[in-house]
Amino acid sequence: MTPLLEVRGLARHYRVRRPGGLWGRTAVLKAVDGVSFAIGRGRTLGLVGESGCGKSTAARLALGLLPATSGDVLFDGQPLSTRQDAAWRASRRKLQLVFQDTLGALDRRLPIGLQIMEPLDIHGIGTRAERLEKTKDLFTAVGLLPHMFDRYPHELSGGQRQRVVLARALVAQPALIACDEPISALDVSIQAQVINLLHDLREQFGVAYLFISHDLRVVRQVSDEVAVMYLGRIVEQGTPDRLFRQPEHPYTRALVSAIPVATPNRARQRIILKGDPPSPVDVPAGCAFHPRCALAGPRCRVETPALRSMPGGHRVACHLAGETAAAA
Ligand code: SF4
């Protein structure tokens, strides 16, 4: 079956001034470097990794909001246009993006009801009365109260604004929403409400999600599949159950070891990584993770590991894949 969204070998490189460089010396910053994944209809792919690993850039590339340096994006089996033509505008309706900063995403001078209805106006969907009715229906679907229709963004709580942003993304019936850290700025109790809302909306509207977060507990809860990114590449990908129960890549194992457990007497051993992630301008040769990896050997310093398929559809980019889990 054709995936709803498929990205193949996607890369985005920037030429930048080298920090401290003289005479205009430049370098190539590899924000995303050869990422491939697929998302089926009504499915959720979780994308995790440290800040600056390329998650958000990968999402913008996948949605056609940024032109790629190389690679392909297929939406419903067709190449996704990045030129702002009619095909691009049609894909904008089907592919939506939700940000963490809800105040920044909304117009402070416009009532929220009109902001939710705006995509219908832009795409010329239905009559004015039909658009209004659809917007009011969505108000109920995302748990907003009818009397809030004329409120302004600053009059709402963070959780209510996140509901407005989701309603605005949903109103034109998208096939996929990329949620970029959608709950990071919310209180824990509100986070749970928004997670439940995302789940309910998926059931109700059949929308697929590309869910970006650094919170692995949340990603495990919402995802059908999880991809772990490090320095612009996917280093491990699989079902949440397999990836969190038996992580293979040493980086994934370190991330998983940092997840708090509910029963302190069964606490897992925390793996502390050496140093900070290297700059994407100076990606180490061989395996990019080798300066921080306790298992690095001579081969790791010279040869970049490919993302290899393991039994059960699991994929790992490590020369020791298949041995690390056993060693752990
Ligand atoms: Fe560590 Fe080598 Fe595997 Fe990279 S390839 S994660 S350095 S063991």
Side-chain angles (χ1 to χ4, degrees):
M1 191 174 171
T2 308
L4 177 68
L5 184 76
E6 186 175 9
V7 309
R8 297 178 186 158
L10 211 52
R12 173 74 186 189
H13 298 170
Y14 297 92
R15 188 154 285 282
V16 295
R17 283 280 299 277
R18 190 170 271 283
L22 293 173
W23 318 118
R25 282 181 61 210
T26 61
V28 175
L29 185 153
K30 297 179 178 176
V32 173
D33 194 25
V35 162
S36 301
F37 59 76
I39 307 176
R41 285 164 184 74
R43 308 284 290 174
T44 300
L45 174 70
L47 207 51
V48 299
E50 290 162 296
S51 296
C53 71
K55 309 184 292 287
S56 298
T57 307
R60 281 159 180 74
L61 290 169
L63 265 56
L65 297 173
L66 266 181
T69 307
S70 60
D72 300 304
V73 181
L74 301 177
F75 175 62
D76 234 348
Q78 300 298 316
L80 189 68
S81 173
T82 51
R83 290 197 313 273
Q84 297 197 1
D85 52 15
W88 184 85
R89 279 190 290 280
S91 69
R92 292 275 42 79
R93 184 182 152 189
K94 290 290 174 192
L95 300 168
Q96 295 284 328
L97 179 63
V98 165
F99 298 97
Q100 172 186 357
D101 176 14
T102 52
L103 258 186
L106 295 170
D107 186 338
R108 294 165 195 239
R109 296 158 302 174
L110 201 62
I112 56 169
L114 296 183
Q115 295 198 52
I116 293 174
M117 194 164 67
E118 202 172 34
L120 299 177
D121 297 334
I122 291 171
H123 294 289
I125 300 169
T127 63
R128 171 89 184 164
E130 288 167 343
R131 295 200 281 265
L132 206 53
E133 192 183 333
K134 192 165 188 180
T135 304
K136 287 182 175 170
D137 285 348
L138 255 184
F139 242 70
T140 317
V142 299
L144 291 166
L145 301 172
H147 71 268
M148 293 175 168
F149 196 90
D150 294 321
R151 295 244 175 111
Y152 290 86
H154 68 272
E155 296 178 298
L156 306 181
S157 68
Q160 288 169 335
R161 280 198 299 272
Q162 195 55 276
R163 290 168 190 269
V164 173
V165 169
L166 278 169
R168 188 181 149 89
L170 277 165
V171 74
Q173 292 181 324
L176 182 140
I177 303 177
C179 303
D180 193 352
E181 301 278 5
I183 57 167
S184 303
L186 304 177
D187 293 339
V188 174
S189 60
I190 308 295
Q191 284 186 0
Q193 289 178 20
V194 174
I195 292 296
N196 289 338
L197 175 62
L198 287 170
H199 179 266
D200 293 346
L201 295 175
R202 187 172 87 156
E203 297 295 305
Q204 196 175 342
F205 298 103
V207 65
Y209 296 117
L210 174 56
F211 191 91
I212 300 167
S213 179
H214 61 269
D215 187 332
L216 272 72
R217 277 182 306 176
V218 172
V219 168
R220 181 176 195 171
Q221 199 181 336
V222 302
S223 305
D224 299 300
E225 194 162 4
V226 178
V228 181
M229 283 189 72
Y230 186 77
L231 276 181
R233 290 176 172 231
I234 291 176
V235 295
E236 185 157 5
Q237 185 170 353
T239 61
D241 190 42
R242 169 73 168 81
L243 190 133
F244 288 96
R245 201 170 32 80
Q246 197 183 348
E248 293 250 2
H249 196 284
Y251 176 61
T252 315
R253 284 170 45 208
L255 293 182
V256 171
S257 79
I259 301 174
V261 288
T263 46
N265 55 343
R266 293 186 57 205
R268 57 172 82 85
Q269 191 182 358
R270 174 92 192 260
I271 300 170
I272 309 288
L273 291 175
K274 295 183 280 182
D276 295 320
S279 162
V281 175
D282 278 313
V283 177
C287 173
F289 187 61
H290 86 253
R292 305 174 78 192
C293 182
L295 303 176
R299 183 183 176 196
C300 305
R301 295 180 182 88
V302 293
E303 190 183 328
T304 305
L307 193 60
R308 288 190 286 138
S309 292
M310 314 291 291
H314 202 75
R315 301 197 298 162
V316 189
C318 173
H319 296 311
L320 303 183
E323 303 167 30
T324 49

